Amino acid sequence: MAVGVLLFLGGGAAAADGPPYHDERVTAALGLCDSAGNQIREGSLVAHPFVTLAIATQPGPAEYAGEGRTATLFAYQPRKGTEPGEWSGEQLTSSTKYADATHPTSKAEAADESLADYLDTYPARWDGWVQLRMLLSAPGTPALTDSYAAADIHVDTAHGRWEQVGAPDVACAPAAAQAVSLEEQVGLTHVSTTTPGEATPASEAAPAATRARHAKSTAGGGFNLAIAALAGGAVALGVGVAVARRRQSPLN
């Protein structure tokens, strides 16, 4: 019992100290919400989804605030000695259309992964830290990767818990009523988890092709996110197109 207490206190102390990194691309904070419309600052690593809503405290650039705007939540793996633009990342939600342009919002569904799922691929190697980023997109505009709203998450794998450090206050209920995930738009209730090289059954290919599930970051902060057409609401249902767990980390 004493050992368990020491581990818990150690994790809490690390979280209280704040993250050991600084990301100059962060322009706003993220608040997190559960499915009941309550703001949360901690939770279980195995909860599906990890969080229901992520809400940015500031709007994105004007060119990302027009009709058809979307936001998508990613998790990134801080790595000591590596610039934030080169960290490995994974998509946590599908793209989300949101009504309030001043507070970009991403929304997850029950089929979306838990934080434990993410950590299976990208462990929190730098003192237990994970960075969340909200990436914006808009019709006819390249996805925005050189600035974003972010949140710092400290994980305690020994106790199966996570905690957000420096969380801002956000209004969860209004955002929930005004945000629609791509999964809701197309009625997607099952997420394909095929791995590279596997074929996607024809029965799954059409809904799966509507989202780039588990898209990963690439060197220089880019990412493989197939939502350019989706941002404008043009959903391409390509039968036979496999949307897989694409892990393209340059530093894995």
Side-chain angles (χ1 to χ4, degrees), residues 22-41:
H22 174 67
D23 186 351
E24 294 181 350
R25 299 184 181 189
V26 176
T27 57
L30 288 175
L32 308 175
C33 311
D34 63 17
S35 60
N38 302 309
Q39 184 168 359
I40 54 176
R41 293 173 171 82

Side-chain angles (χ1 to χ4, degrees), residues 10-11 14 32 40 90 103 121 130 143 212:
L32 308 175
I40 54 176
E90 182 166 290
H103 294 287
T121 306
V130 173

Side-chain angles (χ1 to χ4, degrees), residues 19 21-30 56-59 76 84-85 87 131-135 145-152 166:
Y21 51 82
H22 174 67
D23 186 351
E24 294 181 350
R25 299 184 181 189
V26 176
T27 57
L30 288 175
T57 56
Q58 299 290 334
Y76 280 79
W87 293 347
Q131 185 195 51
L132 304 182
R133 297 178 188 174
M134 179 180 287
L135 303 185
T145 60
D146 57 4
S147 66
Y148 36 77
D152 299 306

Side-chain angles (χ1 to χ4, degrees), residues 45 47 50 75 92 113-120 130 153 155 162:
L45 293 181
F50 159 48
L92 297 182
E113 66 181 29
S114 67
L115 196 57
D117 293 330
Y118 166 78
L119 293 171
D120 282 344
V130 173
I153 304 296
V155 300
W162 62 267

Side-chain angles (χ1 to χ4, degrees), residues 192-201 240-245:
S192 173
T193 56
T194 56
T195 54
E198 293 180 339
T200 300
V241 178
V243 174
R245 282 181 172 263

